[in-house]
Amino acid sequence: MKKILIYGSREFGRVIKDLAIQAGFEVAGFIDDFNSGDGILGDFEHVRKNYPPGSYEILVAVGYKDLKARWEVCRKIISAGYKSPVIIHSRAYVRDPGAVGQGAVIMAGAIVDMYCRIGDFAVLWPGVTVAHDSIVGANTFLSPNCTVCGGVTIGDGCFIGAGAIIADHNEVPSGSFVKAGRIYYLPGRKGDAPEDNR
């Protein structure tokens, strides 16, 4: 098994490090383009030269506050030849692990039901439920205890807040932000008014 580098050393980086260790990976250190300190190996250019993709894989721990910047990091590591492993916590239930894209992270208590697909670099926080026949796009964050009902499609680069509910057979366009606790319907369908989906 290759050693793991974690891109991002702040709070989310520590969460990803703990998950990786629990999953049996050996963490070599953090990549950080802006900070230095304990456990930080250097910026990406330094790491690329000294920790080659033949021996290391990278988990992305850049947070959700700028999902476009996060996606640029994801693309950068893949272009440089690194692979990104899937992390599935031992207390998560994933019906088909093979339908989870590279670099995705699924935390404790999350449920991914039958006939679902989870995109590359998506993050499912504790207690998330993704019901049958649903698709979660790449680089999308599902916050703690949110529920994705059956037959839902969530696009790329979305943020779904804690406790939010995506009603069945709805589509969440790429780049969407759904507030915590909201019930999401497509505008024009029965349920919340469109402004409640923002």
Side-chain angles (χ1 to χ4, degrees):
M1 183 178 293
K2 295 179 182 179
K3 294 181 180 179
I4 297 297
L5 305 167
I6 298 174
Y7 205 131
S9 67
R10 304 297 92 181
E11 183 178 9
F12 189 36
R14 296 194 299 272
V15 171
I16 294 299
K17 178 181 178 180
D18 183 71
L19 288 166
I21 291 171
Q22 289 188 61
F25 291 95
E26 181 180 349
V27 176
F30 295 103
I31 304 166
D32 196 313
D33 295 330
F34 306 102
N35 301 286
S36 60
D38 186 41
I40 297 174
L41 303 173
D43 64 14
F44 181 69
E45 286 307 309
H46 172 81
V47 168
R48 187 175 60 83
K49 295 173 182 176
N50 294 280
Y51 300 85
S55 301
Y56 296 87
E57 297 182 342
I58 296 178
L59 286 167
V60 176
V62 177
Y64 57 82
K65 291 184 179 179
D66 190 340
L67 287 171
K68 289 183 179 179
R70 185 176 192 273
W71 184 240
E72 289 175 4
V73 168
C74 297
R75 293 177 62 189
K76 180 169 65 174
I77 67 169
I78 298 305
S79 295
Y82 289 95
K83 293 183 178 179
S84 188
V86 173
I87 300 292
I88 300 175
H89 194 280
S90 61
R91 292 199 301 276
Y93 171 76
V94 178
R95 175 63 179 82
D96 182 9
V100 179
Q102 67 173 327
V105 175
I106 300 177
M107 301 189 194
I111 296 172
V112 180
D113 204 356
M114 64 184 74
Y115 312 126
C116 292
R117 297 201 311 270
I118 307 298
D120 295 347
F121 300 100
V123 178
L124 278 61
W125 284 85
V128 166
T129 296
V130 180
H132 65 94
D133 299 285
S134 289
I135 299 170
V136 175
N139 194 40
T140 283
F141 272 67
L142 302 185
S143 300
N145 295 315
C146 73
T147 299
V148 178
C149 296
V152 164
T153 297
I154 300 176
D156 299 337
C158 294
F159 177 85
I160 310 300
I165 298 172
I166 311 300
D168 64 290
H169 297 94
N170 275 271
E171 181 176 346
V172 182
S174 294
S176 293
F177 179 94
V178 179
K179 290 181 180 179
R182 293 296 190 191
I183 300 176
Y184 181 96
Y185 297 83
L186 280 174
R189 290 192 60 174
K190 182 180 178 182
D192 285 356
E195 60 268 20
D196 289 336
N197 291 328
R198 293 197 294 267

